[in-house]
Every structure is written in structure tokens, then in C-alpha cells.
Amino acid sequence: MKTGFSVFLAALVAFGASWLGLVYGPLQQLGGAKETTVLQSGDKWPAQRTGAATLGLQVYQGNGCAACHTEQVHQTGAANVISITDLGSHKAADLRDFITSLMVVPELMNCSNAVTGNLAGWNGELPKVLYCGAQDTVVSLLGDKLKAVGVKTEPRVIATGADIARGWGTRQSVAADYLYDSPVPLGSLRAGPDLAAIGVRAPDLNWQLEHLYAPRSVVKDSTMPAFRYLFTVQKVGASPAPDALVLPREFAPADGYEVVPTAEARQLAAYLVSLKNNVPLYEAPFTPITAAK
Amino acid sequence: MSDETKPCCSSGNGEPTATRSAAPMWIIVVTLVLLFAGALFLDSHSGWFDKNVYAPYQSATQLESFQPKSGAAAALARGKGVYESVCGICHGSDGLGKPGQAPALAGSEWVTTKGFDRLAHIPLAGVAGAIQVQGKDWNLNMAAMGAALPDDDLAAVLTYIRVSWGNKASAVTGDDIKKIRSEMGKTSSAYSAEQLKAMPE
């Protein structure tokens, strides 16, 4: 074959380029990933899972949970938001005029329509969102100007997107979230809700166990199959088992019997409550809502 | 560079044979230009392969503009910056101190006090002579490293050392430092450990 060497070279370039782009490049980019620091605190992220939760990932994998559940929150945008939290000694109408008069400042002219639109028909209810957009300079400038006249404002950064609007998370999932997952159960079909932050939404182990045994006992129209084989139905002994599930009448076993979770069910529940992505990171920033100080 | 089949002219019997012919130069040039432009577009819209930049953010600058700038996060970031340029040289960027230079701040009973009055006096006036930190004896001099810092910066750096490396103590504000400074007046000599201990926490 006269062209044998050329074919070999072409194949080498084609496979080599794919390897560079799909293996070597990502490895260089994220291969050295370590724990990162949570914004606004010295805490490390992610936290190492407990032993039971680590085993729970295998139960999650073994039962094919990833076939119907994803563990990835998507985000389509972010916004800098400033809202008024305290009027000070001002009246809403006066403040509206004052803020409108600020709009001649060159840095604020771009957002003039947005801000005056937000203020239209405002009667002083708080908190009042003044600006929600991309420019952080607008937020800091408005904050400074209003602070100077004794009005308190609160700047925030929020992540936006359909997943976040559904309450599936407060920010998008990033590589750091999966540092201790092997394999990473990203999932691709959402027959059920996304679970990246299920530990935030349902942090109660008993809720998780009850939901695994009889999904419709806690979520009315759930389409999830019941994972009853992860539980043992046994005769009540001299005294009821301390970890027996407390079920509504309709889902409870016959009288004299009780439902006790197996080790696997416990591990899976421990894994599920360990799923959280509710902390702000540098690569996925947002302002957490904390208790007022 | 594809092999083409074309009737061979020399033999004249019409039997086709494979020969070589070069692809037109303009196609090669256009392909390369398109590849280059495409790579540039990809790079600039993916933050130049920065590991911290995820879609929808397109660049590190854009990501920076969405970092929370107020409140605790901003103060901490500022405190970290000040710490690393002023304090970290001796106390170490990990807060573990350096033998013969400065004691540890991580877990130090001088740092994680209930209040911050005593702690704030240390950078404002300095410390001289023997001092015991976490059961270890030190006998060194610390200059008034914080005396020249603005109130907000000093407050930020004190907050940073009080909440970092496992320390969990309350935050300090610029107004607190202002008050402490005005109460101190024009004290210029460094404190001894006994003087510091006599102060309220």
C-alpha cells in the first residue's frame, strides 16, 4: 500500500488531537482539583462524606437511581441585585424622586429605565428591589449614594435559571461538588427531580426512609417506584423496634408487623441527605440568605 | 490531498490509474483561518480554559463582577489580602507561625478571645518581651504593624485571623477599631504580656 504511512500519520493526528482535547486538556484544567473554600467563611468545600453516605453512593448506583434522577443543577445567568431594606427617615415618594434624580449620573444612565420602572407605583413596601442586572458598579454606586442619605440597602448576587427557579438549588453545580464522588452519578434523564440539593430540601433521614419505602406516603403524586426490598417487614417483638418506620395507616403493614430499614436503605438515606450544593463558591458565586444580624 | 482517478493520457488505452493531485491552496488557507478563528472564539467564550469559569460566565473578569462584594465576604477577602501582605510574612499564610519569627495565630488563645479589645491593641502598639502562646514561650518583639493601617483594613484583617484556620470568634468592624484607637490616644511603646493580660478581653 503506497499510502500506508500517510494513513498512519492521518490516524495518529486524528486520534492524538481527540486525546489532547478530550483527555489531556480536561486533565490539565481540572485534574488537580482540591477542596476549595466556601465564600464568606473559612470552611472547606466539599465536606468528606461519612462512611454510611459513601456506601450509600454504591446503593444509589446499584439501584439505578441515576436512570431517573440527575445530580446537576443548571444555571443560565447571574445578576447583581440591590434592594432597599430600610428607608431611614425618608418617605417613599421623596426617595423615589431622589433616586430618579440620581439617574443623570453617567454610570447610572444605562440602567435608568430599569430603576425608574422598578420604582413606579412603589408605596414604601420593603424590601424593594431597585436594580437587578449584570453591572456590579451600578449596585455599588447606588448603595453608596443611598447610604450617604441614611437609607439602608442590601446588595446581593443571585444565580438564575429554570432549575434554580424550581428550587432544585441556589447555584449551578461545578466540578468541586463531585470531588468525592466515584463514579459521578450525573444522570441525564429527569423522570424525577434533580437531587443535587436533596439534602437541603429534605434533610430528615426518616423522611428519606419513609419516601423510599412508600413514596406516595409523603409525596402525593409521586411516580417513583417503592423500594420495599430495602426494608424488612417483621413481626413486632416484645417491644417495637426503635428504628421502625412511622407510616400512615394506608401504607402501614398489617397489625403486629413493623417496617425496619436494612443497612442499605440507611446508607442510601445517609447519602441522599449528604447531597447539598447550597454554599457559594468562587466559581459559582451567590449571596446566601442568612439570618438577620 | 486526495487521490483522484482520471483517465491516463499517455497510455491511451483508457484504463484509469490513481495519481496524486494537490488540494487548492486557497482551501487550505481558508480552513486554517476558520480553525484559528474558531479556536479564538471558543477560548474567549470559555474564559481561556480557566478552571474557575463555567458557563454562563464567559470570562474571569465577568465572574469577578458577580462576586458578593459587601458584608462578611468582602471584609474577609480584604482581610486575607492585608494579612498576606502585612502579617503573613512572619505569622505564615497558614497562620501556623514561624519558629524564631512569630507564634501561631491558628488556635491561639490571644486571637480567639471573646471580645477583641485586647487583640486589637497588639497590632496597634506592638508587643515586646516574653509572652506565652499555646503553652510555648516566645521572647520576641513585634512592631506596631497595624498602626498605619486604615480602620477598615485593620478590622478586616483581625476578622480574618479570628475566623480562619479553624478559629471561630466574632467579627471586628471599622468603627470598633476607631473607638479603640481613640481610647488608646498616643500610646507609642509596645505592650508587655502582663500589660495585655491586664486589659479586658
PDB file of all heavy atoms in Angstrom, chain A residues 29 39-40 75-78 80 136 155 157 172 174-175 282-283 285-286, chain B residues 20 49-52 54-57 63-70 73 76:
ATOM      1  N   GLN A  29      -6.845  20.970  33.114  1.00  0.00           N
ATOM      2  CA  GLN A  29      -7.725  22.006  33.646  1.00  0.00           C
ATOM      3  C   GLN A  29      -8.235  21.649  35.039  1.00  0.00           C
ATOM      4  O   GLN A  29      -8.207  22.466  35.949  1.00  0.00           O
ATOM      5  CB  GLN A  29      -8.900  22.176  32.686  1.00  0.00           C
ATOM      6  CG  GLN A  29      -9.607  23.491  32.848  1.00  0.00           C
ATOM      7  CD  GLN A  29     -10.754  23.623  31.875  1.00  0.00           C
ATOM      8  OE1 GLN A  29     -11.146  22.660  31.201  1.00  0.00           O
ATOM      9  NE2 GLN A  29     -11.310  24.813  31.792  1.00  0.00           N
ATOM     10  N   LEU A  39     -17.127  30.733  50.057  1.00  0.00           N
ATOM     11  CA  LEU A  39     -17.132  32.186  50.180  1.00  0.00           C
ATOM     12  C   LEU A  39     -17.769  32.576  51.509  1.00  0.00           C
ATOM     13  O   LEU A  39     -18.672  31.904  51.984  1.00  0.00           O
ATOM     14  CB  LEU A  39     -17.965  32.826  49.053  1.00  0.00           C
ATOM     15  CG  LEU A  39     -17.389  32.862  47.651  1.00  0.00           C
ATOM     16  CD1 LEU A  39     -18.372  33.580  46.743  1.00  0.00           C
ATOM     17  CD2 LEU A  39     -16.059  33.553  47.616  1.00  0.00           C
ATOM     18  N   GLN A  40     -17.299  33.648  52.090  1.00  0.00           N
ATOM     19  CA  GLN A  40     -17.859  34.203  53.311  1.00  0.00           C
ATOM     20  C   GLN A  40     -17.637  33.340  54.541  1.00  0.00           C
ATOM     21  O   GLN A  40     -18.261  33.535  55.557  1.00  0.00           O
ATOM     22  CB  GLN A  40     -19.366  34.461  53.179  1.00  0.00           C
ATOM     23  CG  GLN A  40     -19.654  35.455  52.081  1.00  0.00           C
ATOM     24  CD  GLN A  40     -21.104  35.791  52.009  1.00  0.00           C
ATOM     25  OE1 GLN A  40     -21.940  34.923  51.938  1.00  0.00           O
ATOM     26  NE2 GLN A  40     -21.418  37.064  52.028  1.00  0.00           N
ATOM     27  N   GLN A  75     -27.531  26.520  35.414  1.00  0.00           N
ATOM     28  CA  GLN A  75     -27.730  27.949  35.658  1.00  0.00           C
ATOM     29  C   GLN A  75     -27.569  28.633  34.318  1.00  0.00           C
ATOM     30  O   GLN A  75     -26.667  28.315  33.554  1.00  0.00           O
ATOM     31  CB  GLN A  75     -26.654  28.420  36.646  1.00  0.00           C
ATOM     32  CG  GLN A  75     -26.648  29.892  36.929  1.00  0.00           C
ATOM     33  CD  GLN A  75     -25.536  30.249  37.913  1.00  0.00           C
ATOM     34  OE1 GLN A  75     -25.056  29.411  38.667  1.00  0.00           O
ATOM     35  NE2 GLN A  75     -25.105  31.500  37.895  1.00  0.00           N
ATOM     36  N   THR A  76     -28.460  29.570  34.020  1.00  0.00           N
ATOM     37  CA  THR A  76     -28.341  30.224  32.716  1.00  0.00           C
ATOM     38  C   THR A  76     -27.903  31.673  32.848  1.00  0.00           C
ATOM     39  O   THR A  76     -27.660  32.333  31.851  1.00  0.00           O
ATOM     40  CB  THR A  76     -29.675  30.173  31.951  1.00  0.00           C
ATOM     41  OG1 THR A  76     -30.701  30.618  32.829  1.00  0.00           O
ATOM     42  CG2 THR A  76     -29.983  28.766  31.501  1.00  0.00           C
ATOM     43  N   GLY A  77     -27.831  32.179  34.067  1.00  0.00           N
ATOM     44  CA  GLY A  77     -27.400  33.563  34.214  1.00  0.00           C
ATOM     45  C   GLY A  77     -27.122  33.893  35.659  1.00  0.00           C
ATOM     46  O   GLY A  77     -27.249  33.054  36.546  1.00  0.00           O
ATOM     47  N   ALA A  78     -26.698  35.120  35.877  1.00  0.00           N
ATOM     48  CA  ALA A  78     -26.459  35.603  37.230  1.00  0.00           C
ATOM     49  C   ALA A  78     -26.802  37.081  37.235  1.00  0.00           C
ATOM     50  O   ALA A  78     -26.801  37.719  36.187  1.00  0.00           O
ATOM     51  CB  ALA A  78     -25.009  35.392  37.639  1.00  0.00           C
ATOM     52  N   ASN A  80     -26.605  40.906  39.618  1.00  0.00           N
ATOM     53  CA  ASN A  80     -26.325  41.722  40.791  1.00  0.00           C
ATOM     54  C   ASN A  80     -27.610  42.446  41.146  1.00  0.00           C
ATOM     55  O   ASN A  80     -28.207  43.108  40.302  1.00  0.00           O
ATOM     56  CB  ASN A  80     -25.233  42.745  40.483  1.00  0.00           C
ATOM     57  CG  ASN A  80     -23.850  42.143  40.587  1.00  0.00           C
ATOM     58  OD1 ASN A  80     -23.438  41.726  41.662  1.00  0.00           O
ATOM     59  ND2 ASN A  80     -23.147  42.093  39.470  1.00  0.00           N
ATOM     60  N   ASP A 136     -22.112  45.328  38.361  1.00  0.00           N
ATOM     61  CA  ASP A 136     -21.860  45.454  39.789  1.00  0.00           C
ATOM     62  C   ASP A 136     -21.560  46.900  40.165  1.00  0.00           C
ATOM     63  O   ASP A 136     -21.772  47.304  41.303  1.00  0.00           O
ATOM     64  CB  ASP A 136     -20.713  44.544  40.223  1.00  0.00           C
ATOM     65  CG  ASP A 136     -19.455  44.782  39.425  1.00  0.00           C
ATOM     66  OD1 ASP A 136     -19.572  45.153  38.246  1.00  0.00           O
ATOM     67  OD2 ASP A 136     -18.358  44.603  39.977  1.00  0.00           O
ATOM     68  N   PRO A 155     -27.038  44.689  48.917  1.00  0.00           N
ATOM     69  CA  PRO A 155     -26.654  44.156  47.614  1.00  0.00           C
ATOM     70  C   PRO A 155     -26.595  42.642  47.660  1.00  0.00           C
ATOM     71  O   PRO A 155     -26.184  42.057  48.662  1.00  0.00           O
ATOM     72  CB  PRO A 155     -25.258  44.750  47.397  1.00  0.00           C
ATOM     73  CG  PRO A 155     -24.732  44.985  48.763  1.00  0.00           C
ATOM     74  CD  PRO A 155     -25.876  45.095  49.717  1.00  0.00           C
ATOM     75  N   VAL A 157     -26.012  38.907  45.110  1.00  0.00           N
ATOM     76  CA  VAL A 157     -25.736  38.266  43.834  1.00  0.00           C
ATOM     77  C   VAL A 157     -26.613  37.025  43.780  1.00  0.00           C
ATOM     78  O   VAL A 157     -26.646  36.243  44.734  1.00  0.00           O
ATOM     79  CB  VAL A 157     -24.248  37.871  43.717  1.00  0.00           C
ATOM     80  CG1 VAL A 157     -24.013  37.074  42.451  1.00  0.00           C
ATOM     81  CG2 VAL A 157     -23.369  39.101  43.759  1.00  0.00           C
ATOM     82  N   GLN A 172     -25.388  26.811  40.228  1.00  0.00           N
ATOM     83  CA  GLN A 172     -25.133  25.654  39.379  1.00  0.00           C
ATOM     84  C   GLN A 172     -24.129  24.705  40.032  1.00  0.00           C
ATOM     85  O   GLN A 172     -23.365  25.101  40.910  1.00  0.00           O
ATOM     86  CB  GLN A 172     -24.609  26.107  38.035  1.00  0.00           C
ATOM     87  CG  GLN A 172     -23.234  26.754  38.104  1.00  0.00           C
ATOM     88  CD  GLN A 172     -22.778  27.250  36.747  1.00  0.00           C
ATOM     89  OE1 GLN A 172     -23.289  26.819  35.735  1.00  0.00           O
ATOM     90  NE2 GLN A 172     -21.845  28.183  36.730  1.00  0.00           N
ATOM     91  N   VAL A 174     -20.769  22.648  40.079  1.00  0.00           N
ATOM     92  CA  VAL A 174     -19.446  22.795  39.476  1.00  0.00           C
ATOM     93  C   VAL A 174     -18.603  21.579  39.838  1.00  0.00           C
ATOM     94  O   VAL A 174     -18.987  20.777  40.693  1.00  0.00           O
ATOM     95  CB  VAL A 174     -18.752  24.093  39.935  1.00  0.00           C
ATOM     96  CG1 VAL A 174     -19.477  25.315  39.425  1.00  0.00           C
ATOM     97  CG2 VAL A 174     -18.631  24.143  41.446  1.00  0.00           C
ATOM     98  N   ALA A 175     -17.447  21.472  39.198  1.00  0.00           N
ATOM     99  CA  ALA A 175     -16.624  20.264  39.358  1.00  0.00           C
ATOM    100  C   ALA A 175     -16.314  19.970  40.823  1.00  0.00           C
ATOM    101  O   ALA A 175     -16.309  18.815  41.238  1.00  0.00           O
ATOM    102  CB  ALA A 175     -15.332  20.419  38.565  1.00  0.00           C
ATOM    103  N   TYR A 282     -16.263  30.433  44.761  1.00  0.00           N
ATOM    104  CA  TYR A 282     -15.752  31.463  43.854  1.00  0.00           C
ATOM    105  C   TYR A 282     -16.263  31.239  42.440  1.00  0.00           C
ATOM    106  O   TYR A 282     -16.702  32.167  41.772  1.00  0.00           O
ATOM    107  CB  TYR A 282     -14.215  31.468  43.866  1.00  0.00           C
ATOM    108  CG  TYR A 282     -13.651  32.501  42.945  1.00  0.00           C
ATOM    109  CD1 TYR A 282     -13.559  33.820  43.347  1.00  0.00           C
ATOM    110  CD2 TYR A 282     -13.249  32.170  41.648  1.00  0.00           C
ATOM    111  CE1 TYR A 282     -13.072  34.794  42.496  1.00  0.00           C
ATOM    112  CE2 TYR A 282     -12.763  33.133  40.793  1.00  0.00           C
ATOM    113  CZ  TYR A 282     -12.675  34.447  41.215  1.00  0.00           C
ATOM    114  OH  TYR A 282     -12.213  35.405  40.362  1.00  0.00           O
ATOM    115  N   GLU A 283     -16.244  29.971  41.996  1.00  0.00           N
ATOM    116  CA  GLU A 283     -16.641  29.704  40.617  1.00  0.00           C
ATOM    117  C   GLU A 283     -18.155  29.681  40.433  1.00  0.00           C
ATOM    118  O   GLU A 283     -18.627  29.662  39.309  1.00  0.00           O
ATOM    119  CB  GLU A 283     -16.023  28.398  40.116  1.00  0.00           C
ATOM    120  CG  GLU A 283     -16.331  27.176  40.959  1.00  0.00           C
ATOM    121  CD  GLU A 283     -15.208  26.863  41.942  1.00  0.00           C
ATOM    122  OE1 GLU A 283     -14.774  27.787  42.657  1.00  0.00           O
ATOM    123  OE2 GLU A 283     -14.773  25.702  41.979  1.00  0.00           O
ATOM    124  N   PRO A 285     -20.683  31.940  42.379  1.00  0.00           N
ATOM    125  CA  PRO A 285     -20.975  32.862  43.469  1.00  0.00           C
ATOM    126  C   PRO A 285     -22.465  33.181  43.609  1.00  0.00           C
ATOM    127  O   PRO A 285     -23.202  33.169  42.622  1.00  0.00           O
ATOM    128  CB  PRO A 285     -20.209  34.121  43.075  1.00  0.00           C
ATOM    129  CG  PRO A 285     -20.144  34.077  41.601  1.00  0.00           C
ATOM    130  CD  PRO A 285     -20.133  32.639  41.203  1.00  0.00           C
ATOM    131  N   PHE A 286     -22.896  33.396  44.812  1.00  0.00           N
ATOM    132  CA  PHE A 286     -24.201  33.989  45.083  1.00  0.00           C
ATOM    133  C   PHE A 286     -24.169  34.454  46.531  1.00  0.00           C
ATOM    134  O   PHE A 286     -23.275  34.069  47.286  1.00  0.00           O
ATOM    135  CB  PHE A 286     -25.343  32.986  44.843  1.00  0.00           C
ATOM    136  CG  PHE A 286     -25.419  31.869  45.841  1.00  0.00           C
ATOM    137  CD1 PHE A 286     -26.247  31.965  46.949  1.00  0.00           C
ATOM    138  CD2 PHE A 286     -24.652  30.733  45.693  1.00  0.00           C
ATOM    139  CE1 PHE A 286     -26.316  30.932  47.877  1.00  0.00           C
ATOM    140  CE2 PHE A 286     -24.706  29.688  46.599  1.00  0.00           C
ATOM    141  CZ  PHE A 286     -25.530  29.807  47.710  1.00  0.00           C
TER     142      PHE A 286
ATOM    143  N   ARG B  20      -1.637  11.442  -7.888  1.00  0.00           N
ATOM    144  CA  ARG B  20      -1.772  12.437  -6.825  1.00  0.00           C
ATOM    145  C   ARG B  20      -2.084  13.796  -7.411  1.00  0.00           C
ATOM    146  O   ARG B  20      -1.605  14.148  -8.469  1.00  0.00           O
ATOM    147  CB  ARG B  20      -0.453  12.569  -6.065  1.00  0.00           C
ATOM    148  CG  ARG B  20      -0.257  11.487  -5.061  1.00  0.00           C
ATOM    149  CD  ARG B  20       1.121  11.610  -4.483  1.00  0.00           C
ATOM    150  NE  ARG B  20       1.304  10.540  -3.512  1.00  0.00           N
ATOM    151  CZ  ARG B  20       0.819  10.613  -2.276  1.00  0.00           C
ATOM    152  NH1 ARG B  20       0.184  11.694  -1.879  1.00  0.00           N
ATOM    153  NH2 ARG B  20       0.970   9.604  -1.446  1.00  0.00           N
ATOM    154  N   PHE B  49     -10.021  28.749  29.110  1.00  0.00           N
ATOM    155  CA  PHE B  49      -9.791  27.478  29.794  1.00  0.00           C
ATOM    156  C   PHE B  49      -9.478  27.653  31.276  1.00  0.00           C
ATOM    157  O   PHE B  49      -8.827  26.818  31.877  1.00  0.00           O
ATOM    158  CB  PHE B  49      -8.683  26.654  29.096  1.00  0.00           C
ATOM    159  CG  PHE B  49      -9.138  26.087  27.796  1.00  0.00           C
ATOM    160  CD1 PHE B  49      -8.903  26.752  26.605  1.00  0.00           C
ATOM    161  CD2 PHE B  49      -9.840  24.896  27.768  1.00  0.00           C
ATOM    162  CE1 PHE B  49      -9.359  26.231  25.407  1.00  0.00           C
ATOM    163  CE2 PHE B  49     -10.296  24.377  26.570  1.00  0.00           C
ATOM    164  CZ  PHE B  49     -10.048  25.045  25.386  1.00  0.00           C
ATOM    165  N   ASP B  50      -9.928  28.750  31.841  1.00  0.00           N
ATOM    166  CA  ASP B  50      -9.772  28.963  33.280  1.00  0.00           C
ATOM    167  C   ASP B  50     -10.651  27.946  34.003  1.00  0.00           C
ATOM    168  O   ASP B  50     -11.830  27.789  33.683  1.00  0.00           O
ATOM    169  CB  ASP B  50     -10.219  30.393  33.625  1.00  0.00           C
ATOM    170  CG  ASP B  50      -9.916  30.738  35.067  1.00  0.00           C
ATOM    171  OD1 ASP B  50     -10.101  29.856  35.930  1.00  0.00           O
ATOM    172  OD2 ASP B  50      -9.508  31.878  35.321  1.00  0.00           O
ATOM    173  N   LYS B  51     -10.064  27.231  34.981  1.00  0.00           N
ATOM    174  CA  LYS B  51     -10.839  26.178  35.644  1.00  0.00           C
ATOM    175  C   LYS B  51     -11.965  26.732  36.504  1.00  0.00           C
ATOM    176  O   LYS B  51     -12.848  25.999  36.908  1.00  0.00           O
ATOM    177  CB  LYS B  51      -9.929  25.280  36.474  1.00  0.00           C
ATOM    178  CG  LYS B  51      -9.307  25.946  37.682  1.00  0.00           C
ATOM    179  CD  LYS B  51      -8.406  24.956  38.393  1.00  0.00           C
ATOM    180  CE  LYS B  51      -7.446  25.628  39.330  1.00  0.00           C
ATOM    181  NZ  LYS B  51      -8.003  25.988  40.610  1.00  0.00           N
ATOM    182  N   ASN B  52     -11.917  28.025  36.806  1.00  0.00           N
ATOM    183  CA  ASN B  52     -12.971  28.594  37.636  1.00  0.00           C
ATOM    184  C   ASN B  52     -14.135  29.145  36.835  1.00  0.00           C
ATOM    185  O   ASN B  52     -15.135  29.547  37.411  1.00  0.00           O
ATOM    186  CB  ASN B  52     -12.395  29.718  38.511  1.00  0.00           C
ATOM    187  CG  ASN B  52     -11.584  29.165  39.652  1.00  0.00           C
ATOM    188  OD1 ASN B  52     -11.903  28.112  40.175  1.00  0.00           O
ATOM    189  ND2 ASN B  52     -10.536  29.862  40.012  1.00  0.00           N
ATOM    190  N   TYR B  54     -17.150  28.777  34.548  1.00  0.00           N
ATOM    191  CA  TYR B  54     -18.146  27.875  33.999  1.00  0.00           C
ATOM    192  C   TYR B  54     -19.182  28.714  33.279  1.00  0.00           C
ATOM    193  O   TYR B  54     -19.453  29.841  33.687  1.00  0.00           O
ATOM    194  CB  TYR B  54     -18.854  27.108  35.115  1.00  0.00           C
ATOM    195  CG  TYR B  54     -17.973  26.113  35.845  1.00  0.00           C
ATOM    196  CD1 TYR B  54     -17.085  26.536  36.814  1.00  0.00           C
ATOM    197  CD2 TYR B  54     -18.048  24.766  35.554  1.00  0.00           C
ATOM    198  CE1 TYR B  54     -16.282  25.627  37.481  1.00  0.00           C
ATOM    199  CE2 TYR B  54     -17.257  23.850  36.218  1.00  0.00           C
ATOM    200  CZ  TYR B  54     -16.381  24.281  37.177  1.00  0.00           C
ATOM    201  OH  TYR B  54     -15.594  23.386  37.832  1.00  0.00           O
ATOM    202  N   ALA B  55     -19.801  28.162  32.218  1.00  0.00           N
ATOM    203  CA  ALA B  55     -20.936  28.845  31.625  1.00  0.00           C
ATOM    204  C   ALA B  55     -21.971  29.011  32.725  1.00  0.00           C
ATOM    205  O   ALA B  55     -22.066  28.150  33.579  1.00  0.00           O
ATOM    206  CB  ALA B  55     -21.507  28.014  30.484  1.00  0.00           C
ATOM    207  N   PRO B  56     -22.761  30.061  32.778  1.00  0.00           N
ATOM    208  CA  PRO B  56     -22.922  31.120  31.791  1.00  0.00           C
ATOM    209  C   PRO B  56     -21.859  32.210  31.869  1.00  0.00           C
ATOM    210  O   PRO B  56     -21.941  33.158  31.089  1.00  0.00           O
ATOM    211  CB  PRO B  56     -24.297  31.690  32.152  1.00  0.00           C
ATOM    212  CG  PRO B  56     -24.388  31.497  33.615  1.00  0.00           C
ATOM    213  CD  PRO B  56     -23.668  30.232  33.903  1.00  0.00           C
ATOM    214  N   TYR B  57     -20.912  32.126  32.785  1.00  0.00           N
ATOM    215  CA  TYR B  57     -19.870  33.144  32.822  1.00  0.00           C
ATOM    216  C   TYR B  57     -18.928  32.916  31.651  1.00  0.00           C
ATOM    217  O   TYR B  57     -18.621  31.780  31.304  1.00  0.00           O
ATOM    218  CB  TYR B  57     -19.109  33.067  34.144  1.00  0.00           C
ATOM    219  CG  TYR B  57     -20.010  33.141  35.338  1.00  0.00           C
ATOM    220  CD1 TYR B  57     -20.267  32.016  36.109  1.00  0.00           C
ATOM    221  CD2 TYR B  57     -20.649  34.330  35.656  1.00  0.00           C
ATOM    222  CE1 TYR B  57     -21.126  32.079  37.186  1.00  0.00           C
ATOM    223  CE2 TYR B  57     -21.515  34.395  36.733  1.00  0.00           C
ATOM    224  CZ  TYR B  57     -21.747  33.265  37.498  1.00  0.00           C
ATOM    225  OH  TYR B  57     -22.606  33.333  38.552  1.00  0.00           O
ATOM    226  N   LEU B  63     -16.828  36.865  35.870  1.00  0.00           N
ATOM    227  CA  LEU B  63     -17.073  36.113  37.102  1.00  0.00           C
ATOM    228  C   LEU B  63     -16.761  36.985  38.316  1.00  0.00           C
ATOM    229  O   LEU B  63     -17.499  37.004  39.300  1.00  0.00           O
ATOM    230  CB  LEU B  63     -16.210  34.851  37.108  1.00  0.00           C
ATOM    231  CG  LEU B  63     -16.302  33.945  38.334  1.00  0.00           C
ATOM    232  CD1 LEU B  63     -17.721  33.439  38.517  1.00  0.00           C
ATOM    233  CD2 LEU B  63     -15.343  32.788  38.208  1.00  0.00           C
ATOM    234  N   GLU B  64     -15.669  37.735  38.215  1.00  0.00           N
ATOM    235  CA  GLU B  64     -15.259  38.618  39.317  1.00  0.00           C
ATOM    236  C   GLU B  64     -16.351  39.641  39.627  1.00  0.00           C
ATOM    237  O   GLU B  64     -16.587  39.980  40.785  1.00  0.00           O
ATOM    238  CB  GLU B  64     -13.951  39.309  38.924  1.00  0.00           C
ATOM    239  CG  GLU B  64     -13.223  40.010  40.044  1.00  0.00           C
ATOM    240  CD  GLU B  64     -12.843  39.070  41.183  1.00  0.00           C
ATOM    241  OE1 GLU B  64     -12.281  37.982  40.928  1.00  0.00           O
ATOM    242  OE2 GLU B  64     -13.133  39.434  42.327  1.00  0.00           O
ATOM    243  N   SER B  65     -17.045  40.115  38.580  1.00  0.00           N
ATOM    244  CA  SER B  65     -18.051  41.150  38.807  1.00  0.00           C
ATOM    245  C   SER B  65     -19.285  40.585  39.506  1.00  0.00           C
ATOM    246  O   SER B  65     -20.151  41.344  39.924  1.00  0.00           O
ATOM    247  CB  SER B  65     -18.445  41.810  37.487  1.00  0.00           C
ATOM    248  OG  SER B  65     -19.297  40.972  36.759  1.00  0.00           O
ATOM    249  N   PHE B  66     -19.390  39.275  39.609  1.00  0.00           N
ATOM    250  CA  PHE B  66     -20.528  38.684  40.318  1.00  0.00           C
ATOM    251  C   PHE B  66     -20.154  38.158  41.697  1.00  0.00           C
ATOM    252  O   PHE B  66     -20.939  37.479  42.329  1.00  0.00           O
ATOM    253  CB  PHE B  66     -21.151  37.564  39.484  1.00  0.00           C
ATOM    254  CG  PHE B  66     -21.970  38.069  38.331  1.00  0.00           C
ATOM    255  CD1 PHE B  66     -21.498  37.989  37.040  1.00  0.00           C
ATOM    256  CD2 PHE B  66     -23.193  38.671  38.567  1.00  0.00           C
ATOM    257  CE1 PHE B  66     -22.242  38.481  35.992  1.00  0.00           C
ATOM    258  CE2 PHE B  66     -23.948  39.159  37.522  1.00  0.00           C
ATOM    259  CZ  PHE B  66     -23.472  39.073  36.229  1.00  0.00           C
ATOM    260  N   GLN B  67     -18.930  38.422  42.143  1.00  0.00           N
ATOM    261  CA  GLN B  67     -18.569  38.009  43.491  1.00  0.00           C
ATOM    262  C   GLN B  67     -19.272  38.929  44.489  1.00  0.00           C
ATOM    263  O   GLN B  67     -19.270  40.136  44.301  1.00  0.00           O
ATOM    264  CB  GLN B  67     -17.050  38.095  43.693  1.00  0.00           C
ATOM    265  CG  GLN B  67     -16.263  37.162  42.809  1.00  0.00           C
ATOM    266  CD  GLN B  67     -16.576  35.692  43.038  1.00  0.00           C
ATOM    267  OE1 GLN B  67     -16.829  35.276  44.153  1.00  0.00           O
ATOM    268  NE2 GLN B  67     -16.592  34.920  41.962  1.00  0.00           N
ATOM    269  N   PRO B  68     -19.872  38.374  45.525  1.00  0.00           N
ATOM    270  CA  PRO B  68     -20.514  39.231  46.519  1.00  0.00           C
ATOM    271  C   PRO B  68     -19.490  40.192  47.114  1.00  0.00           C
ATOM    272  O   PRO B  68     -18.430  39.766  47.541  1.00  0.00           O
ATOM    273  CB  PRO B  68     -21.010  38.239  47.578  1.00  0.00           C
ATOM    274  CG  PRO B  68     -21.067  36.939  46.895  1.00  0.00           C
ATOM    275  CD  PRO B  68     -20.011  36.962  45.849  1.00  0.00           C
ATOM    276  N   LYS B  69     -19.808  41.486  47.071  1.00  0.00           N
ATOM    277  CA  LYS B  69     -18.799  42.454  47.463  1.00  0.00           C
ATOM    278  C   LYS B  69     -19.047  43.079  48.824  1.00  0.00           C
ATOM    279  O   LYS B  69     -18.240  43.848  49.318  1.00  0.00           O
ATOM    280  CB  LYS B  69     -18.718  43.560  46.422  1.00  0.00           C
ATOM    281  CG  LYS B  69     -17.791  43.184  45.317  1.00  0.00           C
ATOM    282  CD  LYS B  69     -17.934  44.115  44.168  1.00  0.00           C
ATOM    283  CE  LYS B  69     -17.694  43.389  42.873  1.00  0.00           C
ATOM    284  NZ  LYS B  69     -18.731  42.394  42.565  1.00  0.00           N
ATOM    285  N   SER B  70     -20.184  42.814  49.391  1.00  0.00           N
ATOM    286  CA  SER B  70     -20.458  43.523  50.632  1.00  0.00           C
ATOM    287  C   SER B  70     -20.442  42.540  51.779  1.00  0.00           C
ATOM    288  O   SER B  70     -20.361  41.345  51.590  1.00  0.00           O
ATOM    289  CB  SER B  70     -21.839  44.141  50.565  1.00  0.00           C
ATOM    290  OG  SER B  70     -22.752  43.083  50.553  1.00  0.00           O
ATOM    291  N   ALA B  73     -18.225  38.624  53.243  1.00  0.00           N
ATOM    292  CA  ALA B  73     -17.338  38.086  52.212  1.00  0.00           C
ATOM    293  C   ALA B  73     -16.289  39.109  51.809  1.00  0.00           C
ATOM    294  O   ALA B  73     -15.107  38.798  51.698  1.00  0.00           O
ATOM    295  CB  ALA B  73     -18.142  37.667  51.001  1.00  0.00           C
ATOM    296  N   LEU B  76     -13.724  39.685  54.514  1.00  0.00           N
ATOM    297  CA  LEU B  76     -12.793  38.558  54.609  1.00  0.00           C
ATOM    298  C   LEU B  76     -11.767  38.589  53.491  1.00  0.00           C
ATOM    299  O   LEU B  76     -10.577  38.379  53.718  1.00  0.00           O
ATOM    300  CB  LEU B  76     -13.569  37.239  54.547  1.00  0.00           C
ATOM    301  CG  LEU B  76     -13.942  36.613  55.871  1.00  0.00           C
ATOM    302  CD1 LEU B  76     -14.460  35.214  55.629  1.00  0.00           C
ATOM    303  CD2 LEU B  76     -12.751  36.569  56.806  1.00  0.00           C
TER     304      LEU B  76
END
